[in-house]
Amino acid sequence: MKLRNMVLLVLGYLLLINTAFAKPCKGNILVSSNSSEVIEEYNNRATVYLPLKIQVPDSLVSCADEIWVEDVYYYSLVFSGPTEDKYGKLLDEQFNTLSPRNGIWSMPLNSRTTQLWIRLRHYSLFPAGNYTGSIKVTLLRKSKIIDEQYLDVTYYSEPQIAISLDNSSQSKVSGSNGLYQIDLGDLKSNMRFYWGIKILSNSSYDVVLDSEFNGLRHESDSQSVIDYTIGFDNVKISSSERLMRSYNFYPGVRNTWYGFEFILGNTEMKPAGIYRDNLSLTVYPR
């Protein structure tokens, strides 16, 4: 009788041990990409870093030893864009490039949170619009799948404009960062002045050209104004008018040169002194 009780107790203890080892790994990984954490750089070319965060719950940390990242449809990280596909690079938390094998980026599971980055590059501004890639993240233990999640990673390139003086005008026009001064010297009737700008844009845009004083106004005698004619992109208007033009093109990037022509009106019998005007050229991307 005592022997039978002992056997039952031993079997019960073994059952508890086996149940503990057979406990299933439950839970789901969380894969996210926060658009507010996107890093953008504009040097010789445009570069963006898209965050990819992989969070593993405590219930799975002890069950897994490896993370796989792969494109859902391709062997590379492909992002479809408004004009062309962009091919991304996967980077670790320190922005070091990771190398794939057979289209899979493999890394050990070392902590609950793994921070990665996807790098996209373009030779200039990214054409305005959405860039989307589909990512699959898999959690494994000894090459067996424990959990996997899918995520669409999106980057939105906003319409952008960059305006600069052309090289030939830099010696005639002073200033920088969109604020420039032109010294016409001694004012003479019908005198002319030429300069040029370049507009780099990743979307269609509108241009508005406007004179604040409707001509060159005397600095102390507001009633004395010298009219002039301004030419922009082969269109001429008087200083009392406003020029509005639209430039439409298929999604992409354009770096376009525009020429200015300044023709002064009649200066006869005008009071001596300094005349000024603020001529604004505003470009609105859309």
Side-chain angles (χ1 to χ4, degrees):
M1 188 68 179
K2 292 183 179 180
L3 180 60
R4 182 180 178 184
N5 287 340
M6 186 189 312
V7 171
L8 289 175
L9 288 174
V10 171
L11 289 176
Y13 177 68
L14 291 175
L15 180 63
L16 288 175
I17 295 176
N18 291 335
T19 301
F21 277 105
K23 183 179 179 181
C25 296
K26 294 184 178 180
N28 299 106
I29 58 175
L30 176 62
V31 183
S32 61
S33 181
N34 191 339
S35 59
S36 65
E37 298 176 354
V38 172
I39 300 173
E40 298 177 310
E41 295 179 351
Y42 300 97
N43 296 313
N44 295 328
R45 55 183 170 179
T47 304
V48 296
Y49 300 91
L50 311 180
L52 182 63
K53 182 178 292 186
I54 304 168
Q55 295 173 285
V56 181
D58 291 335
S59 59
L60 293 182
V61 169
S62 59
C63 298
D65 56 17
E66 193 175 16
I67 294 174
W68 285 4
V69 176
E70 56 189 308
D71 192 291
V72 174
Y73 305 108
Y74 307 95
Y75 275 83
S76 300
L77 296 177
V78 179
F79 283 70
S80 59
T83 60
E84 61 183 82
D85 292 341
K86 302 301 296 182
Y87 292 83
K89 295 286 187 180
L90 189 65
L91 314 179
D92 65 15
E93 188 172 11
Q94 286 75 40
F95 299 92
N96 299 312
T97 302
L98 300 174
S99 299
R101 183 177 181 181
N102 296 325
I104 296 176
W105 286 261
S106 174
M107 61 210 72
L109 176 63
N110 295 321
S111 64
R112 291 186 67 254
T113 300
T114 301
Q115 177 67 63
L116 303 173
W117 298 92
I118 299 174
R119 185 186 69 198
L120 300 178
R121 280 180 169 168
H122 197 69
Y123 62 89
S124 62
L125 300 176
F126 283 86
N130 284 308
Y131 296 78
T132 304
S134 297
I135 309 298
K136 181 172 76 171
V137 176
T138 307
L139 191 66
L140 306 98
R141 178 177 179 83
K142 296 181 179 179
S143 299
K144 293 184 178 180
I145 296 176
I146 295 177
D147 188 33
E148 60 184 15
Q149 297 292 326
Y150 293 81
L151 178 70
D152 287 338
V153 181
T154 300
Y155 167 64
Y156 175 66
S157 175
E158 296 184 352
Q160 297 183 67
I161 293 287
I163 305 175
S164 60
L165 285 174
D166 67 9
N167 294 333
S168 63
S169 299
Q170 292 178 3
S171 60
K172 300 187 293 184
V173 180
S174 60
S176 61
N177 299 323
L179 184 61
Y180 302 100
Q181 299 83 39
I182 299 176
D183 186 353
L184 297 173
D186 295 334
L187 302 181
K188 298 178 181 179
S189 296
N190 301 317
M191 69 180 297
R192 295 171 181 261
F193 188 87
Y194 301 93
W195 75 100
I197 63 168
K198 291 185 291 185
I199 297 179
L200 175 65
S201 175
N202 65 350
S203 70
S204 300
Y205 53 85
D206 298 326
V207 172
V208 177
L209 186 62
D210 194 20
S211 164
E212 180 179 358
F213 301 139
N214 295 326
L216 292 174
R217 189 180 300 276
H218 195 281
E219 66 175 356
S220 59
D221 182 1
S222 61
Q223 300 301 315
S224 297
V225 178
I226 301 176
D227 296 328
Y228 63 85
T229 298
I230 188 74
F232 174 79
D233 195 23
N234 297 318
V235 177
K236 293 183 179 180
I237 61 169
S238 71
S239 54
S240 60
E241 297 176 306
R242 171 182 286 185
L243 174 66
M244 301 180 67
R245 299 202 68 184
S246 295
Y247 296 86
N248 301 306
F249 56 91
Y250 184 76
V253 179
R254 281 191 180 180
N255 192 7
T256 308
W257 178 90
Y258 295 98
F260 281 91
E261 180 184 29
F262 176 92
I263 306 174
L264 191 62
N266 186 15
T267 63
E268 298 298 326
M269 306 303 294
K270 293 293 183 180
I274 298 176
Y275 289 78
R276 301 180 187 275
D277 189 21
N278 294 325
L279 184 65
S280 63
L281 173 74
T282 308
V283 183
Y284 300 93
R286 51 186 170 82

